[in-house]
Amino acid sequence: MTDGVGGASGDDATSDTRGVRRKVDHLGRVVIPASMRRMLGIGDGDELEVRLDGEVLRMRKPRESCAFCGTREDLTEVLQHPVCWSCVAAVRARGREGR
C-alpha cells in the first residue's frame, strides 16, 4: 500500500484522488506520512498549529514572528513568545517614560 505521496507505508492508510486517508486512534492521534513530513520540514518534537476552517481541519508548521509587529527577523523569546528586538526596545523605552 502507498501513502499517496510516493512512499511505501506499512499501516492502514489508503489513498484516493483527494489525498491520503488515515485512521484516528483512540487517543485522537493521526499519523502524517513521512514523505509529507519531509516535504514540510516537520521533525520529531515540532509543534503544529491546528485550526478548524468551516468543516476543514487545517494543520501547519507555525511561522515564528514577532507577537507585536509580525516581523520574522531578529527574534528573541520573551515570556515564551517570539518578539523582535525593535519591539523589545520600544517596550523598554515606553517603560522608562512611564516611571
Side-chain angles (χ1 to χ4, degrees):
M1 189 176 299
T2 65
D3 66 8
V5 187
S9 173
D11 56 21
D12 57 4
T14 59
S15 64
D16 62 14
T17 58
R18 296 174 291 175
V20 177
R21 291 185 180 193
R22 295 290 174 142
K23 290 189 178 183
V24 178
D25 74 8
H26 69 283
L27 294 176
R29 296 177 296 201
V30 177
V31 175
I32 302 168
S35 56
M36 289 181 179
R37 293 192 315 267
R38 281 191 298 272
M39 288 173 60
L40 296 172
I42 297 171
D44 290 350
D46 285 354
E47 289 185 350
L48 293 179
E49 180 181 297
V50 181
R51 67 182 166 98
L52 193 57
D53 187 3
E55 293 185 3
V56 177
L57 183 66
R58 297 187 184 272
M59 290 194 301
R60 71 177 191 167
K61 194 171 180 180
R63 292 183 227 153
E64 293 296 319
S65 60
C66 177
F68 295 107
C69 71
T71 188
R72 294 189 184 127
E73 297 178 13
D74 299 323
L75 298 176
T76 188
E77 192 171 291
V78 178
L79 299 174
Q80 299 179 355
H81 296 282
V83 180
C84 73
W85 283 105
S86 296
C87 288
V88 168
V91 169
R92 285 181 179 163
R94 187 168 187 141
R96 284 191 292 269
E97 292 171 2
R99 289 186 184 164

